[in-house]
Amino acid sequence: GQNIDQPTEMTATEGAIVQINCTYQTSGFNGLFWYQQHAGEAPTFLSYNVLDGLEEKGRFSSFLSRSKGYSYLLLKELQMKDSASYLCAVMDSNYQLIWGAGTKLIIKP
Amino acid sequence: GAVVSQHPSWVICKSGTSVKIECRSLDFQATTMFWYRQFPKQSLMLMATSNEGSKATYEQGVEKDKFLINHASLTLSTLTVTSAHPEDSSFYICSAKRGTSGITTDTQYFGPGTRLTVL
């Protein structure tokens, strides 16, 4: 079967760095997405990786290793507003999205 | 647990026809379901929120007469795109919130999406 695994919850301190991991097993691969979702709001697109390596976009970076079925989202200089759920999703060979359950990130002062 | 399915996965239709997309929660009761549109590499755009047994709440700018939503049971919501036009071509994603005895959890479970192409 297909599945995406990511931690349920993480806690970090304001100003610090946090890495949210995502491992996947899917039938085919057409890219991996990271979304941020604040409570009661729609998910916001953060990144899309289809090739191996690190993509940096401001305070957020996303890494992909296709051979390991592994990705991480790196958040630097954490701010209180970064408290949210972070969703990992993989597009499979049928261009269907397989979603992780999301990681709830709690930022403490 | 907490699996959400959508049917069909792909649909191609002629302009002017209507298309129905189903969203099902397979192993839980979903008191609230959401319908989103997604354009490539963009954020999900919430179209409407539907609660079982009541009328859907549409976001500003979404035509309720064009995008008909029915949430007839605790496991099924349908989105019907009426008189579809090429500009309606998009990736439609549903999500569901689990509910138990009137209590709804915050976690949304997302479906795999339906790719609609209108010719």
Side-chain angles (χ1 to χ4, degrees), chain A residues 50-68:
Chain A
V50 68
L51 299 176
D52 290 349
L54 184 68
E55 298 241 354
E56 298 186 71
K57 199 184 291 185
R59 293 190 299 115
F60 292 6
S61 302
S62 57
F63 171 83
L64 174 68
S65 169
R66 287 171 297 170
S67 62
K68 295 182 179 177

Side-chain angles (χ1 to χ4, degrees), chain B residues 88-100:
Chain B
D88 298 325
S89 298
S90 188
F91 197 45
Y92 292 86
I93 298 170
C94 74
S95 71
K97 278 190 178 182
R98 188 201 299 259
T100 305

Side-chain angles (χ1 to χ4, degrees), chain B:
Chain B
V3 177
V4 175
S5 71
Q6 284 183 238
H7 177 80
S9 306
W10 292 81
V11 57
I12 300 172
C13 68
K14 291 182 179 179
S15 185
T17 61
S18 294
V19 175
K20 181 186 282 189
I21 303 171
E22 293 185 349
C23 176
R24 291 182 184 274
S25 56
L26 298 185
D27 51 2
F28 67 98
Q29 293 185 329
T31 52
T32 306
M33 285 183 166
F34 304 86
W35 286 96
Y36 299 89
R37 280 182 78 164
Q38 183 185 29
F39 294 100
K41 298 185 187 179
Q42 293 187 26
S43 301
L44 274 63
M45 185 195 82
L46 180 63
M47 299 174 65
T49 302
S50 73
N51 292 293
E52 185 267 339
S54 61
K55 288 185 179 180
T57 303
Y58 290 81
E59 296 299 303
Q60 193 171 11
V62 178
E63 300 174 59
K64 60 178 71 175
D65 293 332
K66 181 170 182 61
F67 298 99
L68 301 178
I69 290 172
N70 185 293
H71 193 163
S73 78
L74 285 171
T75 59
L76 174 64
S77 176
T78 60
L79 168 68
T80 301
V81 183
T82 62
S83 187
H85 288 97
E87 57 265 31
D88 298 325
S89 298
S90 188
F91 197 45
Y92 292 86
I93 298 170
C94 74
S95 71
K97 278 190 178 182
R98 188 201 299 259
T100 305
S101 301
I103 301 171
T104 304
T105 66
D106 286 335
T107 303
Q108 283 187 38
Y109 300 95
F110 289 86
T114 296
R115 195 169 297 278
L116 171 65
T117 302
V118 185
L119 303 176

Side-chain angles (χ1 to χ4, degrees), chain A residues 35 37 45 48 96-97 99, chain B residues 10 38 41 43 108 111-113:
Chain A
Y35 293 89
Q37 186 178 28
F45 171 80
Y48 172 71
Q96 296 270 276
L97 282 173
W99 295 85
Chain B
W10 292 81
Q38 183 185 29
K41 298 185 187 179
S43 301
Q108 283 187 38

